[in-house]
Amino acid sequence: MSVIVATYLGAERIAGALRSLVNQSLDPGRFEVVVVSNGPEDGTPDVVRRFRAEHPEHDIRVVRTSRPGASNASNVGLASARHDYVTFVDDDDFVSRDFLAGLLAHAAPDVVVAAAFGDHVPGSRTVDFGGYLNRSVLRYAGSTVGFDELHHAASAHAGKLAPTRFARQVRFNPELASGYDVAYWSELFSRFGLDLRVVPLSAHAVYYRQLREGSASRTLSRRFVTERLIAIGVLDRLREEHPAYARTLSALASGQATHIGRYLRDHPDERHEVFAEIAERGLDEDFPYHSMNAHATTELVISYGFPPYQDTSAMVVARRIALADRPVDVLTHTMRGIRSVDERSLALVRRSVGRRMTVHGTPSFAGWAGIERFATEGMSRIAAREAELGAYESVYSRAMWPAAHVLGALCKARNPEVSWTAEFSDPLLHDAEGRVRESVVGPSEIFDEIEAACAARGVAPTTSRNLFEWLEKIAFALADRVVFTNVNQRAYMLEHTPARDTVERALEVSEISPHPTLPPEYYRLAPSGYRLDARKVNIGYFGVFYSVRGVGDLLAAIQGLSPDERRRVALHVFTDKPDETRAVVDAARVGDVVVVQPYIPYFEFLELSTHFDWLVVADARVAHTHGVNPYLPSKLSDYRGSGARIWGLVERGSVLDTLDLDAKTELGDVDAAREILRNTSSRVTA
């Protein structure tokens, strides 16, 4: 066997590696040591020659190359190797006395042999055998496994013995100072279908890695990012050439992306520059952004519903994430059984979301047991992540689903240093009909813990145990930012909260942030296939129907149109309750004009919205119960990006009423609505 030792300016450190090699239990006649000194001359060849003179029984050679880099040196070493098998030892590492004997005893023409790993910090007397690499190897000690079963160890540069006839047919990429090992060994295994044989523990074959600061694998630089992208490009190519290993190669690409994420965590201003390079290299479509983001972020988003589930609040959160364009982790709850799934909606956040932590179980809007379980399991997931990658610096939660704010408050209570942003989509304590929502918070350590944090802020104890009253209180008392979607919502919620001692603080930390509108490119992602009759005025309405909101005005207006006018108009209603809505349409006898459809996937909706002549958005009719209308339909923000004309059915004094829309009619004013229909239909050529 040939042992290749690549060394760059290694005169002062190579002795340890050489000493461990000349002390091997393997007969010196069965192996050679090829030292490849690369880069500028520093006296390394002289050190090697002295070592050879002191150990004449060993075949030790030194080869010089002026081109620096471990990749080039490894290629030179492979070209110089004279034996049937080859292994690599870094110049600052060392190996156990039985390392070479253990590898060679288990060598075969069609396998790569792997030894155990130990991590050693120079200057210490301890060796860590608990690293992820060694744990994976020891799991298969004494076994022969495929590349896909042990890909992390298989793609590491050191600690393995390979048949020279295969090793010479693959070249290390000279462009790479890091990531070259993953690119090389992945190609070797996937091209030739080699298995990996792990030496049994009884062989005492151990490769000791020195964890030296400043080594190529531990230095982060912009060039480091480029090298990891080159390696990912190699893995993408191999995945196309060898589809049997696609999953394994994807996992290795994710590992490379984590290194880029660590770099971006320290250099967030370079994020767009890295995105541009990913696109330039043609890697965007399958790039493992999740792995990169998980190691780059210090922000957590708590969104009870989240894509791919089609939930209104979930999609608002996703739009905020997309437009913020910062890496985040997301903690969410499964919505299986109560929300439909649209996998394509994940495209909104694929470049931004890192780790997605999902709590499973039955979704709960108001039941305390389910909310408490979400908070408890959520904190467990957060603690595990923070133990691995460090504490989050900021947390954002959004409620219509109350559990999000409970977990957000718990995060704040346990880590007062974290910055918590709490957004309200609508009032929580009062429903759309002005009634007080009620649900009892049972005896709970979580409740007590959050109450204690509120008390530390000087906020009076909660006495009613009404979940919805408590939710508004804890957000107003603890959040560093409280976000409302419109000014009326803020005024209404602060006026009606029973926690009067939180109002002043909530005003100080609050801000108004309307629902976000996506840029035009999102409206071109997914053609809907839904056909509109170009001979008619096509009016679109997308939304939930409930007692205080709908298109009753339009249905009544259509009833008063002449037969000729009706032929020129089509109202397309997309709703979560198509059967109930069709019944309303049939009862109004306007089925010849109104087409009712179930909701369509989000990106199809965006694309379809660009083809309508008019899009209708309707206020909730709540002034008589609320005094002020605190609602602003989130669909308006989607409509704004479509380019279509927007028609608002508004309640006087609402936020929607104050906006500059293409047309507005007051709720209940059927004559005004009919006049708009007549005016628009008259422009259609018969």
Side-chain angles (χ1 to χ4, degrees):
M1 63 190 302
S2 298
V3 182
I4 298 174
V5 182
T7 179
Y8 174 82
L9 300 178
E12 296 184 1
R13 62 177 178 271
I14 197 172
L18 294 176
R19 191 176 301 112
S20 71
L21 291 172
V22 298
N23 287 331
Q24 290 295 296
S25 61
L26 183 66
D27 181 347
R30 301 192 66 191
F31 71 96
E32 66 171 348
V33 178
V34 181
V35 177
V36 183
S37 175
N38 64 95
E41 177 62 74
D42 72 330
T44 298
D46 294 333
V47 174
V48 177
R49 293 186 190 101
R50 286 196 297 271
F51 225 91
R52 182 175 59 195
E54 294 170 3
H55 303 278
E57 72 280 13
H58 285 84
D59 184 0
I60 302 175
R61 293 185 289 130
V62 63
V63 180
R64 274 285 301 155
T65 173
S66 60
R67 181 176 182 177
S71 292
N72 176 61
S74 296
N75 288 330
V76 171
L78 280 172
S80 303
R82 297 182 297 203
H83 293 306
D84 295 332
Y85 297 95
V86 63
T87 190
F88 298 88
V89 175
D90 286 351
D91 65 355
D92 58 345
D93 294 338
F94 59 99
V95 295
S96 68
R97 176 173 171 76
D98 295 320
F99 176 74
L100 296 183
L103 291 179
L104 197 56
H106 295 84
D110 57 352
V111 299
V112 173
V113 184
F117 288 88
D119 292 333
H120 176 258
V121 176
S124 72
R125 296 185 177 182
T126 60
V127 175
D128 179 13
F129 290 98
Y132 83 94
L133 193 60
N134 195 49
R135 291 198 308 271
S136 64
V137 170
L138 294 183
R139 189 180 306 123
Y140 294 101
S143 304
T144 300
V145 298
F147 174 40
D148 51 350
E149 294 178 85
L150 200 50
H151 55 273
H152 286 301
S155 59
H157 189 43
K160 299 195 298 294
L161 183 74
T164 305
R165 70 187 183 96
F166 291 127
R168 278 197 179 128
Q169 295 183 60
V170 179
R171 286 185 58 79
F172 290 89
N173 189 331
E175 290 185 84
L176 303 181
S178 62
Y180 62 88
D181 48 357
V182 172
Y184 174 85
W185 288 99
S186 295
E187 182 154 5
L188 183 72
F189 276 99
S190 57
R191 186 198 294 188
F192 299 112
L194 302 177
D195 287 333
L196 189 69
R197 180 172 296 164
V198 181
V199 177
L201 296 180
S202 58
H204 303 293
V206 182
Y207 186 99
Y208 296 98
R209 303 190 305 171
Q210 296 272 44
L211 302 183
R212 177 172 60 89
E213 291 297 330
S215 65
S217 62
R218 299 176 67 80
T219 302
L220 298 181
S221 66
R222 186 62 184 83
R223 176 61 192 171
F224 173 92
V225 171
T226 294
E227 290 168 351
R228 297 294 171 163
L229 291 178
I230 292 172
I232 290 173
V234 171
L235 294 168
D236 279 1
R237 171 179 60 81
L238 292 174
R239 188 170 53 198
E240 293 181 4
E241 295 174 354
H242 309 284
Y245 295 108
R247 179 177 296 182
T248 297
L249 295 164
S250 293
L252 289 169
S254 292
Q256 297 303 294
T258 65
H259 294 298
I260 300 173
R262 293 189 183 101
Y263 175 83
L264 289 177
R265 188 180 180 115
D266 295 330
H267 303 85
D269 293 344
E270 297 183 27
R271 181 173 172 82
H272 289 131
E273 184 181 326
V274 172
F275 280 165
E277 185 172 356
I278 290 170
E280 288 169 5
R281 294 183 177 276
L283 302 176
D284 179 70
E285 183 175 351
D286 295 315
F287 192 81
Y289 287 106
H290 61 283
S291 296
M292 182 180 77
N293 291 326
H295 287 75
T297 188
T298 58
E299 298 185 35
L300 173 66
V301 169
I302 302 171
S303 181
Y304 197 83
F306 197 71
Y309 294 105
Q310 291 200 83
D311 176 82
T312 300
S313 185
M315 295 310 298
V316 171
V317 173
R319 298 205 301 271
R320 290 210 186 279
I321 289 174
L323 294 178
D325 199 18
R326 296 190 304 271
V328 298
D329 286 344
V330 175
L331 199 149
T332 184
H333 194 285
T334 181
M335 306 291 279
R336 191 182 305 276
I338 66 169
R339 293 289 187 270
S340 59
V341 171
D342 174 16
E343 293 292 343
R344 282 182 295 185
S345 65
L346 289 169
L348 257 179
V349 295
R350 66 179 292 264
R351 296 208 322 178
S352 299
V353 171
R355 186 168 301 186
R356 176 172 172 170
M357 299 167 279
T358 303
V359 175
H360 295 276
T362 302
S364 176
F365 179 77
W368 177 248
I371 292 173
E372 185 176 37
R373 179 177 53 79
F374 175 73
T376 301
E377 293 188 25
M379 283 305 305
S380 177
R381 304 286 183 87
I382 292 168
R385 185 273 182 196
E386 291 187 329
E388 177 186 352
L389 297 174
Y392 289 112
E393 295 176 3
S394 61
V395 172
Y396 163 92
S397 61
R398 188 178 198 272
M400 261 316 286
W401 291 85
H405 282 347
V406 175
L407 181 52
L410 189 59
C411 289
K412 183 67 177 181
R414 293 189 180 178
N415 179 15
E417 298 302 315
V418 74
S419 176
W420 176 31
T421 296
E423 178 177 347
F424 289 93
S425 61
D426 289 323
L428 276 179
L429 180 57
H430 297 86
D431 66 16
E433 297 180 355
R435 297 172 301 199
V436 173
R437 290 191 176 102
E438 293 191 20
S439 179
V440 176
V441 178
S444 166
E445 293 181 2
I446 288 175
F447 176 87
D448 294 340
E449 190 173 350
I450 295 174
E451 277 290 289
C454 291
R457 295 284 184 92
V459 177
T462 296
T463 57
S464 74
R465 306 291 290 214
N466 181 349
L467 168 66
F468 296 98
E469 178 181 329
W470 185 63
L471 284 166
E472 292 189 1
K473 165 196 163 176
I474 62 179
F476 296 164
L478 298 178
D480 299 275
R481 293 171 62 231
V482 178
V483 177
F484 301 96
T485 58
N486 68 83
V487 292
N488 284 3
Q489 177 198 4
R490 176 171 62 183
Y492 179 84
M493 290 181 66
L494 294 184
E495 179 183 352
H496 290 82
T497 178
R500 304 310 304 167
D501 52 350
T502 65
V503 172
E504 184 175 346
R505 182 181 185 279
L507 274 171
E508 291 176 355
V509 301
S510 69
E511 62 182 66
I512 305 301
S513 180
H515 302 111
T517 297
L518 293 170
E521 57 265 27
Y522 286 96
Y523 289 74
R524 298 190 292 266
L525 290 180
S528 70
Y530 188 83
R531 295 291 175 260
L532 300 176
D533 189 341
R535 298 168 298 177
K536 297 185 177 185
V537 173
N538 289 288
I539 303 169
Y541 177 86
F542 297 79
V544 176
F545 274 69
Y546 52 94
S547 59
V548 297
R549 176 178 288 159
V551 289
D553 285 4
L554 287 185
L555 301 186
I558 290 170
Q559 289 175 329
L561 295 178
S562 69
D564 183 58
E565 290 169 334
R566 288 170 72 131
R567 283 194 295 270
R568 298 167 185 262
V569 176
L571 173 62
H572 306 262
V573 176
F574 296 81
T575 178
D576 65 332
K577 299 176 180 178
D579 292 337
E580 295 178 24
T581 306
R582 288 190 190 101
V584 172
V585 169
D586 291 342
R589 299 174 182 256
V590 291
D592 58 321
V593 175
V594 183
V595 181
V596 179
Q597 298 287 344
Y599 274 154
I600 60 176
Y602 184 70
F603 287 123
E604 292 185 24
F605 148 65
L606 291 184
E607 193 275 339
L608 178 58
S609 70
T610 67
H611 298 291
F612 280 102
D613 299 294
W614 288 93
L615 293 171
V616 173
V617 57
D619 257 333
R621 193 190 303 267
V622 297
H624 63 292
T625 56
H626 291 64
V628 62
N629 190 324
Y631 302 103
L632 180 63
S634 63
K635 275 290 181 286
L636 175 64
S637 59
D638 290 319
Y639 289 177
R640 285 190 179 280
S642 70
R645 288 175 291 179
I646 300 174
W647 177 0
L649 305 178
V650 305
E651 184 171 63
R652 183 176 298 178
S654 72
V655 175
L656 189 63
D657 186 28
T658 67
L659 299 179
D660 184 18
L661 304 179
D662 297 285
K664 280 187 285 190
T665 55
E666 192 172 332
L667 290 176
D669 192 345
V670 174
D671 290 339
R674 186 179 299 116
E675 191 62 27
I676 289 179
L677 292 176
R678 282 177 171 153
N679 287 337
T680 56
S681 66
S682 67
R683 300 171 189 170
V684 178
T685 302

